[in-house]
PDB file of all heavy atoms in Angstrom:
ATOM      1  N   ALA A 279       0.824  -1.206   0.000  1.00  0.00           N
ATOM      2  CA  ALA A 279       0.000   0.000   0.000  1.00  0.00           C
ATOM      3  C   ALA A 279       0.860   1.259   0.000  1.00  0.00           C
ATOM      4  O   ALA A 279       1.808   1.378   0.765  1.00  0.00           O
ATOM      5  CB  ALA A 279      -0.913   0.004   1.221  1.00  0.00           C
ATOM      6  N   ASP A 280       0.505   2.207  -0.883  1.00  0.00           N
ATOM      7  CA  ASP A 280       1.154   3.520  -0.910  1.00  0.00           C
ATOM      8  C   ASP A 280       0.540   4.469   0.109  1.00  0.00           C
ATOM      9  O   ASP A 280       1.160   5.438   0.517  1.00  0.00           O
ATOM     10  CB  ASP A 280       1.029   4.147  -2.298  1.00  0.00           C
ATOM     11  CG  ASP A 280       2.228   3.848  -3.175  1.00  0.00           C
ATOM     12  OD1 ASP A 280       3.304   3.526  -2.646  1.00  0.00           O
ATOM     13  OD2 ASP A 280       2.087   3.948  -4.409  1.00  0.00           O
ATOM     14  N   ASP A 281      -0.719   4.204   0.487  1.00  0.00           N
ATOM     15  CA  ASP A 281      -1.424   5.059   1.427  1.00  0.00           C
ATOM     16  C   ASP A 281      -2.537   4.231   2.046  1.00  0.00           C
ATOM     17  O   ASP A 281      -2.969   3.221   1.472  1.00  0.00           O
ATOM     18  CB  ASP A 281      -2.008   6.277   0.696  1.00  0.00           C
ATOM     19  CG  ASP A 281      -2.398   7.422   1.629  1.00  0.00           C
ATOM     20  OD1 ASP A 281      -2.192   7.297   2.855  1.00  0.00           O
ATOM     21  OD2 ASP A 281      -2.910   8.439   1.131  1.00  0.00           O
ATOM     22  N   ALA A 282      -2.988   4.639   3.202  1.00  0.00           N
ATOM     23  CA  ALA A 282      -4.119   4.010   3.873  1.00  0.00           C
ATOM     24  C   ALA A 282      -4.875   5.093   4.597  1.00  0.00           C
ATOM     25  O   ALA A 282      -4.275   5.896   5.325  1.00  0.00           O
ATOM     26  CB  ALA A 282      -3.641   2.940   4.853  1.00  0.00           C
ATOM     27  N   LYS A 283      -6.185   5.156   4.368  1.00  0.00           N
ATOM     28  CA  LYS A 283      -6.980   6.173   5.060  1.00  0.00           C
ATOM     29  C   LYS A 283      -8.444   5.792   5.047  1.00  0.00           C
ATOM     30  O   LYS A 283      -8.875   4.948   4.252  1.00  0.00           O
ATOM     31  CB  LYS A 283      -6.763   7.558   4.478  1.00  0.00           C
ATOM     32  CG  LYS A 283      -7.243   7.772   3.067  1.00  0.00           C
ATOM     33  CD  LYS A 283      -6.853   9.159   2.582  1.00  0.00           C
ATOM     34  CE  LYS A 283      -8.046   9.925   2.099  1.00  0.00           C
ATOM     35  NZ  LYS A 283      -7.745  11.262   1.623  1.00  0.00           N
ATOM     36  N   TYR A 284      -9.173   6.439   5.936  1.00  0.00           N
ATOM     37  CA  TYR A 284     -10.610   6.239   6.016  1.00  0.00           C
ATOM     38  C   TYR A 284     -11.305   7.223   5.080  1.00  0.00           C
ATOM     39  O   TYR A 284     -10.929   8.394   5.017  1.00  0.00           O
ATOM     40  CB  TYR A 284     -11.111   6.464   7.444  1.00  0.00           C
ATOM     41  CG  TYR A 284     -10.774   5.337   8.383  1.00  0.00           C
ATOM     42  CD1 TYR A 284      -9.600   5.361   9.135  1.00  0.00           C
ATOM     43  CD2 TYR A 284     -11.622   4.246   8.518  1.00  0.00           C
ATOM     44  CE1 TYR A 284      -9.292   4.324  10.011  1.00  0.00           C
ATOM     45  CE2 TYR A 284     -11.318   3.206   9.384  1.00  0.00           C
ATOM     46  CZ  TYR A 284     -10.153   3.254  10.123  1.00  0.00           C
ATOM     47  OH  TYR A 284      -9.846   2.232  10.977  1.00  0.00           O
ATOM     48  N   PHE A 285     -12.311   6.727   4.373  1.00  0.00           N
ATOM     49  CA  PHE A 285     -13.128   7.559   3.494  1.00  0.00           C
ATOM     50  C   PHE A 285     -14.571   7.488   3.966  1.00  0.00           C
ATOM     51  O   PHE A 285     -15.082   6.394   4.258  1.00  0.00           O
ATOM     52  CB  PHE A 285     -13.091   7.032   2.052  1.00  0.00           C
ATOM     53  CG  PHE A 285     -11.791   7.273   1.348  1.00  0.00           C
ATOM     54  CD1 PHE A 285     -10.765   6.337   1.436  1.00  0.00           C
ATOM     55  CD2 PHE A 285     -11.597   8.414   0.587  1.00  0.00           C
ATOM     56  CE1 PHE A 285      -9.564   6.539   0.776  1.00  0.00           C
ATOM     57  CE2 PHE A 285     -10.394   8.623  -0.076  1.00  0.00           C
ATOM     58  CZ  PHE A 285      -9.385   7.685   0.022  1.00  0.00           C
ATOM     59  N   ASP A 286     -15.250   8.646   4.019  1.00  0.00           N
ATOM     60  CA  ASP A 286     -16.672   8.583   4.346  1.00  0.00           C
ATOM     61  C   ASP A 286     -17.428   8.053   3.122  1.00  0.00           C
ATOM     62  O   ASP A 286     -16.889   8.000   2.015  1.00  0.00           O
ATOM     63  CB  ASP A 286     -17.209   9.918   4.867  1.00  0.00           C
ATOM     64  CG  ASP A 286     -17.347  11.003   3.818  1.00  0.00           C
ATOM     65  OD1 ASP A 286     -17.731  10.718   2.673  1.00  0.00           O
ATOM     66  OD2 ASP A 286     -17.092  12.171   4.171  1.00  0.00           O
ATOM     67  N   LEU A 287     -18.647   7.656   3.349  1.00  0.00           N
ATOM     68  CA  LEU A 287     -19.410   6.966   2.305  1.00  0.00           C
ATOM     69  C   LEU A 287     -19.627   7.829   1.066  1.00  0.00           C
ATOM     70  O   LEU A 287     -19.632   7.311  -0.052  1.00  0.00           O
ATOM     71  CB  LEU A 287     -20.745   6.482   2.871  1.00  0.00           C
ATOM     72  CG  LEU A 287     -20.621   5.510   4.045  1.00  0.00           C
ATOM     73  CD1 LEU A 287     -21.986   5.106   4.561  1.00  0.00           C
ATOM     74  CD2 LEU A 287     -19.795   4.300   3.669  1.00  0.00           C
ATOM     75  N   ASN A 288     -19.772   9.133   1.241  1.00  0.00           N
ATOM     76  CA  ASN A 288     -19.940  10.011   0.081  1.00  0.00           C
ATOM     77  C   ASN A 288     -18.656  10.082  -0.745  1.00  0.00           C
ATOM     78  O   ASN A 288     -18.707  10.128  -1.975  1.00  0.00           O
ATOM     79  CB  ASN A 288     -20.373  11.411   0.507  1.00  0.00           C
ATOM     80  CG  ASN A 288     -21.805  11.423   1.002  1.00  0.00           C
ATOM     81  OD1 ASN A 288     -22.642  10.673   0.509  1.00  0.00           O
ATOM     82  ND2 ASN A 288     -22.078  12.238   1.995  1.00  0.00           N
ATOM     83  N   GLU A 289     -17.504  10.111  -0.084  1.00  0.00           N
ATOM     84  CA  GLU A 289     -16.220  10.124  -0.797  1.00  0.00           C
ATOM     85  C   GLU A 289     -16.030   8.828  -1.585  1.00  0.00           C
ATOM     86  O   GLU A 289     -15.538   8.854  -2.713  1.00  0.00           O
ATOM     87  CB  GLU A 289     -15.057  10.269   0.184  1.00  0.00           C
ATOM     88  CG  GLU A 289     -14.870  11.636   0.787  1.00  0.00           C
ATOM     89  CD  GLU A 289     -13.726  11.624   1.783  1.00  0.00           C
ATOM     90  OE1 GLU A 289     -13.835  10.934   2.816  1.00  0.00           O
ATOM     91  OE2 GLU A 289     -12.717  12.313   1.501  1.00  0.00           O
ATOM     92  N   ILE A 290     -16.395   7.719  -0.981  1.00  0.00           N
ATOM     93  CA  ILE A 290     -16.197   6.411  -1.632  1.00  0.00           C
ATOM     94  C   ILE A 290     -16.960   6.344  -2.946  1.00  0.00           C
ATOM     95  O   ILE A 290     -16.471   5.776  -3.923  1.00  0.00           O
ATOM     96  CB  ILE A 290     -16.589   5.263  -0.679  1.00  0.00           C
ATOM     97  CG1 ILE A 290     -15.519   5.134   0.395  1.00  0.00           C
ATOM     98  CG2 ILE A 290     -16.754   3.945  -1.432  1.00  0.00           C
ATOM     99  CD1 ILE A 290     -15.807   4.120   1.464  1.00  0.00           C
ATOM    100  N   LYS A 291     -18.136   6.956  -2.980  1.00  0.00           N
ATOM    101  CA  LYS A 291     -18.947   6.933  -4.207  1.00  0.00           C
ATOM    102  C   LYS A 291     -18.241   7.616  -5.381  1.00  0.00           C
ATOM    103  O   LYS A 291     -18.555   7.352  -6.530  1.00  0.00           O
ATOM    104  CB  LYS A 291     -20.302   7.599  -3.957  1.00  0.00           C
ATOM    105  CG  LYS A 291     -21.191   6.808  -3.033  1.00  0.00           C
ATOM    106  CD  LYS A 291     -22.468   7.566  -2.714  1.00  0.00           C
ATOM    107  CE  LYS A 291     -23.269   6.826  -1.666  1.00  0.00           C
ATOM    108  NZ  LYS A 291     -24.424   7.585  -1.203  1.00  0.00           N
ATOM    109  N   THR A 292     -17.289   8.493  -5.090  1.00  0.00           N
ATOM    110  CA  THR A 292     -16.583   9.227  -6.155  1.00  0.00           C
ATOM    111  C   THR A 292     -15.300   8.524  -6.595  1.00  0.00           C
ATOM    112  O   THR A 292     -14.673   8.955  -7.562  1.00  0.00           O
ATOM    113  CB  THR A 292     -16.216  10.656  -5.692  1.00  0.00           C
ATOM    114  OG1 THR A 292     -15.228  10.577  -4.661  1.00  0.00           O
ATOM    115  CG2 THR A 292     -17.444  11.407  -5.184  1.00  0.00           C
ATOM    116  N   LEU A 293     -14.895   7.477  -5.881  1.00  0.00           N
ATOM    117  CA  LEU A 293     -13.637   6.792  -6.184  1.00  0.00           C
ATOM    118  C   LEU A 293     -13.829   5.696  -7.221  1.00  0.00           C
ATOM    119  O   LEU A 293     -14.873   5.050  -7.265  1.00  0.00           O
ATOM    120  CB  LEU A 293     -13.059   6.162  -4.908  1.00  0.00           C
ATOM    121  CG  LEU A 293     -12.703   7.102  -3.769  1.00  0.00           C
ATOM    122  CD1 LEU A 293     -12.275   6.296  -2.549  1.00  0.00           C
ATOM    123  CD2 LEU A 293     -11.610   8.070  -4.180  1.00  0.00           C
ATOM    124  N   ASP A 294     -12.794   5.482  -8.014  1.00  0.00           N
ATOM    125  CA  ASP A 294     -12.766   4.344  -8.932  1.00  0.00           C
ATOM    126  C   ASP A 294     -12.010   3.231  -8.206  1.00  0.00           C
ATOM    127  O   ASP A 294     -10.783   3.245  -8.138  1.00  0.00           O
ATOM    128  CB  ASP A 294     -12.051   4.744 -10.227  1.00  0.00           C
ATOM    129  CG  ASP A 294     -12.097   3.648 -11.266  1.00  0.00           C
ATOM    130  OD1 ASP A 294     -12.980   2.783 -11.176  1.00  0.00           O
ATOM    131  OD2 ASP A 294     -11.236   3.654 -12.160  1.00  0.00           O
ATOM    132  N   LEU A 295     -12.757   2.306  -7.631  1.00  0.00           N
ATOM    133  CA  LEU A 295     -12.159   1.276  -6.792  1.00  0.00           C
ATOM    134  C   LEU A 295     -11.623   0.108  -7.613  1.00  0.00           C
ATOM    135  O   LEU A 295     -12.131  -0.196  -8.684  1.00  0.00           O
ATOM    136  CB  LEU A 295     -13.187   0.760  -5.786  1.00  0.00           C
ATOM    137  CG  LEU A 295     -13.739   1.803  -4.822  1.00  0.00           C
ATOM    138  CD1 LEU A 295     -14.828   1.194  -3.951  1.00  0.00           C
ATOM    139  CD2 LEU A 295     -12.639   2.385  -3.956  1.00  0.00           C
ATOM    140  N   ALA A 296     -10.604  -0.554  -7.069  1.00  0.00           N
ATOM    141  CA  ALA A 296      -9.989  -1.711  -7.726  1.00  0.00           C
ATOM    142  C   ALA A 296     -10.906  -2.941  -7.622  1.00  0.00           C
ATOM    143  O   ALA A 296     -11.770  -3.019  -6.741  1.00  0.00           O
ATOM    144  CB  ALA A 296      -8.642  -2.011  -7.070  1.00  0.00           C
ATOM    145  N   PHE A 297     -10.646  -3.876  -8.509  1.00  0.00           N
ATOM    146  CA  PHE A 297     -11.327  -5.174  -8.513  1.00  0.00           C
ATOM    147  C   PHE A 297     -12.845  -4.977  -8.463  1.00  0.00           C
ATOM    148  O   PHE A 297     -13.360  -4.090  -9.141  1.00  0.00           O
ATOM    149  CB  PHE A 297     -10.819  -6.061  -7.361  1.00  0.00           C
ATOM    150  CG  PHE A 297      -9.321  -6.210  -7.333  1.00  0.00           C
ATOM    151  CD1 PHE A 297      -8.546  -5.498  -6.434  1.00  0.00           C
ATOM    152  CD2 PHE A 297      -8.681  -7.053  -8.234  1.00  0.00           C
ATOM    153  CE1 PHE A 297      -7.157  -5.632  -6.412  1.00  0.00           C
ATOM    154  CE2 PHE A 297      -7.290  -7.190  -8.221  1.00  0.00           C
ATOM    155  CZ  PHE A 297      -6.536  -6.478  -7.312  1.00  0.00           C
ATOM    156  N   ASP A 298     -13.537  -5.779  -7.663  1.00  0.00           N
ATOM    157  CA  ASP A 298     -14.987  -5.651  -7.493  1.00  0.00           C
ATOM    158  C   ASP A 298     -15.311  -5.070  -6.123  1.00  0.00           C
ATOM    159  O   ASP A 298     -16.336  -5.359  -5.522  1.00  0.00           O
ATOM    160  CB  ASP A 298     -15.670  -7.010  -7.676  1.00  0.00           C
ATOM    161  CG  ASP A 298     -15.054  -8.102  -6.803  1.00  0.00           C
ATOM    162  OD1 ASP A 298     -14.087  -7.817  -6.063  1.00  0.00           O
ATOM    163  OD2 ASP A 298     -15.539  -9.247  -6.873  1.00  0.00           O
ATOM    164  N   HIS A 299     -14.411  -4.204  -5.633  1.00  0.00           N
ATOM    165  CA  HIS A 299     -14.555  -3.704  -4.274  1.00  0.00           C
ATOM    166  C   HIS A 299     -15.742  -2.764  -4.097  1.00  0.00           C
ATOM    167  O   HIS A 299     -16.271  -2.660  -2.984  1.00  0.00           O
ATOM    168  CB  HIS A 299     -13.254  -3.073  -3.801  1.00  0.00           C
ATOM    169  CG  HIS A 299     -12.187  -4.110  -3.598  1.00  0.00           C
ATOM    170  ND1 HIS A 299     -10.944  -3.808  -3.106  1.00  0.00           N
ATOM    171  CD2 HIS A 299     -12.174  -5.457  -3.824  1.00  0.00           C
ATOM    172  CE1 HIS A 299     -10.215  -4.914  -3.030  1.00  0.00           C
ATOM    173  NE2 HIS A 299     -10.951  -5.922  -3.476  1.00  0.00           N
ATOM    174  N   GLU A 300     -16.207  -2.136  -5.160  1.00  0.00           N
ATOM    175  CA  GLU A 300     -17.437  -1.333  -5.049  1.00  0.00           C
ATOM    176  C   GLU A 300     -18.614  -2.239  -4.676  1.00  0.00           C
ATOM    177  O   GLU A 300     -19.409  -1.911  -3.796  1.00  0.00           O
ATOM    178  CB  GLU A 300     -17.715  -0.603  -6.361  1.00  0.00           C
ATOM    179  CG  GLU A 300     -18.934   0.296  -6.301  1.00  0.00           C
ATOM    180  CD  GLU A 300     -19.158   1.067  -7.595  1.00  0.00           C
ATOM    181  OE1 GLU A 300     -18.229   1.202  -8.409  1.00  0.00           O
ATOM    182  OE2 GLU A 300     -20.297   1.542  -7.777  1.00  0.00           O
ATOM    183  N   ARG A 301     -18.712  -3.374  -5.331  1.00  0.00           N
ATOM    184  CA  ARG A 301     -19.782  -4.335  -5.038  1.00  0.00           C
ATOM    185  C   ARG A 301     -19.654  -4.867  -3.608  1.00  0.00           C
ATOM    186  O   ARG A 301     -20.639  -4.999  -2.888  1.00  0.00           O
ATOM    187  CB  ARG A 301     -19.744  -5.498  -6.033  1.00  0.00           C
ATOM    188  CG  ARG A 301     -20.768  -6.561  -5.737  1.00  0.00           C
ATOM    189  CD  ARG A 301     -20.703  -7.710  -6.715  1.00  0.00           C
ATOM    190  NE  ARG A 301     -21.595  -8.760  -6.247  1.00  0.00           N
ATOM    191  CZ  ARG A 301     -21.396 -10.036  -6.461  1.00  0.00           C
ATOM    192  NH1 ARG A 301     -20.369 -10.449  -7.170  1.00  0.00           N
ATOM    193  NH2 ARG A 301     -22.244 -10.930  -6.005  1.00  0.00           N
ATOM    194  N   ILE A 302     -18.430  -5.191  -3.196  1.00  0.00           N
ATOM    195  CA  ILE A 302     -18.209  -5.726  -1.848  1.00  0.00           C
ATOM    196  C   ILE A 302     -18.608  -4.687  -0.798  1.00  0.00           C
ATOM    197  O   ILE A 302     -19.275  -5.023   0.189  1.00  0.00           O
ATOM    198  CB  ILE A 302     -16.742  -6.169  -1.669  1.00  0.00           C
ATOM    199  CG1 ILE A 302     -16.447  -7.381  -2.563  1.00  0.00           C
ATOM    200  CG2 ILE A 302     -16.449  -6.485  -0.203  1.00  0.00           C
ATOM    201  CD1 ILE A 302     -14.978  -7.786  -2.610  1.00  0.00           C
ATOM    202  N   ILE A 303     -18.231  -3.431  -1.009  1.00  0.00           N
ATOM    203  CA  ILE A 303     -18.614  -2.374  -0.063  1.00  0.00           C
ATOM    204  C   ILE A 303     -20.133  -2.220  -0.035  1.00  0.00           C
ATOM    205  O   ILE A 303     -20.733  -2.092   1.038  1.00  0.00           O
ATOM    206  CB  ILE A 303     -17.898  -1.049  -0.403  1.00  0.00           C
ATOM    207  CG1 ILE A 303     -16.407  -1.183  -0.075  1.00  0.00           C
ATOM    208  CG2 ILE A 303     -18.534   0.129   0.346  1.00  0.00           C
ATOM    209  CD1 ILE A 303     -15.547  -0.038  -0.564  1.00  0.00           C
ATOM    210  N   HIS A 304     -20.761  -2.250  -1.194  1.00  0.00           N
ATOM    211  CA  HIS A 304     -22.227  -2.165  -1.268  1.00  0.00           C
ATOM    212  C   HIS A 304     -22.864  -3.295  -0.451  1.00  0.00           C
ATOM    213  O   HIS A 304     -23.788  -3.058   0.333  1.00  0.00           O
ATOM    214  CB  HIS A 304     -22.676  -2.211  -2.735  1.00  0.00           C
ATOM    215  CG  HIS A 304     -24.154  -2.245  -2.909  1.00  0.00           C
ATOM    216  ND1 HIS A 304     -24.942  -1.126  -2.755  1.00  0.00           N
ATOM    217  CD2 HIS A 304     -24.992  -3.270  -3.205  1.00  0.00           C
ATOM    218  CE1 HIS A 304     -26.207  -1.459  -2.950  1.00  0.00           C
ATOM    219  NE2 HIS A 304     -26.263  -2.760  -3.222  1.00  0.00           N
ATOM    220  N   ASP A 305     -22.370  -4.517  -0.629  1.00  0.00           N
ATOM    221  CA  ASP A 305     -22.900  -5.662   0.116  1.00  0.00           C
ATOM    222  C   ASP A 305     -22.664  -5.489   1.618  1.00  0.00           C
ATOM    223  O   ASP A 305     -23.519  -5.846   2.436  1.00  0.00           O
ATOM    224  CB  ASP A 305     -22.257  -6.965  -0.360  1.00  0.00           C
ATOM    225  CG  ASP A 305     -22.672  -7.341  -1.782  1.00  0.00           C
ATOM    226  OD1 ASP A 305     -23.600  -6.714  -2.346  1.00  0.00           O
ATOM    227  OD2 ASP A 305     -22.046  -8.272  -2.334  1.00  0.00           O
TER     228      ASP A 305
END
């Protein structure tokens, strides 16, 4: 990891996440 941080749910919606992690977070 180059960085590690907490993102609020609104910020996460704007990110282009790796793999299928958007689906995993949604679940």
Side-chain angles (χ1 to χ4, degrees):
D280 267 339
D281 197 2
K283 66 185 235 180
Y284 285 92
F285 287 89
D286 72 38
L287 300 179
N288 289 326
E289 286 178 295
I290 287 176
K291 291 175 186 173
T292 68
L293 299 175
D294 185 22
L295 299 175
F297 307 102
D298 52 359
H299 291 184
E300 183 177 341
R301 177 181 172 211
I302 293 172
I303 289 171
H304 175 77
D305 292 350

